[in-house]
Amino acid sequence: MSTSSTRLPEGRYGRSSDQRADRTLKVVGGVLAVLFTALIGWFGYHYVAQNEISAELIRFETGEDAVKVHLEVHKDAGVVGYCTVRSQAADGAEVGRADFRFDGDATRVDQVVTLRTTSPGTSAELVGCHAE
């Protein structure tokens, strides 16, 4: 006894619907991957290239009601901006936060600023810098 085949003859009736669906999914996936990569590149460029002011916390000294923070700020000439600094107590509670403005034509500013605190601070943290 012979068994009958349920497969169609090769190449006789064109592509099956499964092959068309696979090709469509590949094209859509490729387009979405290119768009996602372009979006990530655009965000990365604006984060790195458009950031006109940056800073580094060099050191800090704690006191009873203030923390002295040594900041080194790098910025484009003539750019006005500010850096936010905060201090925390030993239990992790925030005891002080302030914005310090940097302006002028200097591209590198090396400055010690005083952050007032509500109780003795045990740390200092540079939260971030922003150009205006």
Side-chain angles (χ1 to χ4, degrees), residues 1-107:
M1 209 173 219
S2 68
T3 60
S4 64
S5 173
T6 57
R7 284 184 38 182
L8 297 175
E10 293 283 330
R12 187 164 185 183
Y13 296 104
R15 290 185 171 182
S16 71
S17 62
D18 288 343
Q19 289 173 330
R20 282 190 294 273
D22 288 347
R23 184 172 188 273
T24 303
L25 284 176
K26 287 178 185 177
V27 169
V28 169
V31 168
L32 289 177
V34 167
L35 288 175
F36 182 71
T37 303
L39 184 68
I40 295 296
W42 185 76
F43 281 125
Y45 170 75
H46 282 282
Y47 180 75
V48 173
Q50 302 298 323
N51 194 5
E52 298 171 339
I53 184 170
S54 64
E56 182 180 358
L57 190 143
I58 305 298
R59 59 187 292 261
F60 64 91
E61 293 178 22
T62 60
E64 286 296 315
D65 60 350
V67 176
K68 291 188 180 192
V69 180
H70 181 185
L71 292 175
E72 183 178 305
V73 179
H74 297 276
K75 62 184 189 68
D76 294 340
V79 171
V80 176
Y82 64 93
C83 292
T84 304
V85 178
R86 77 175 187 160
S87 180
Q88 293 178 311
D91 63 355
E94 186 175 286
V95 294
R97 178 184 287 256
D99 294 331
F100 298 99
R101 292 182 54 84
F102 299 98
D103 52 5
D105 290 331
T107 58

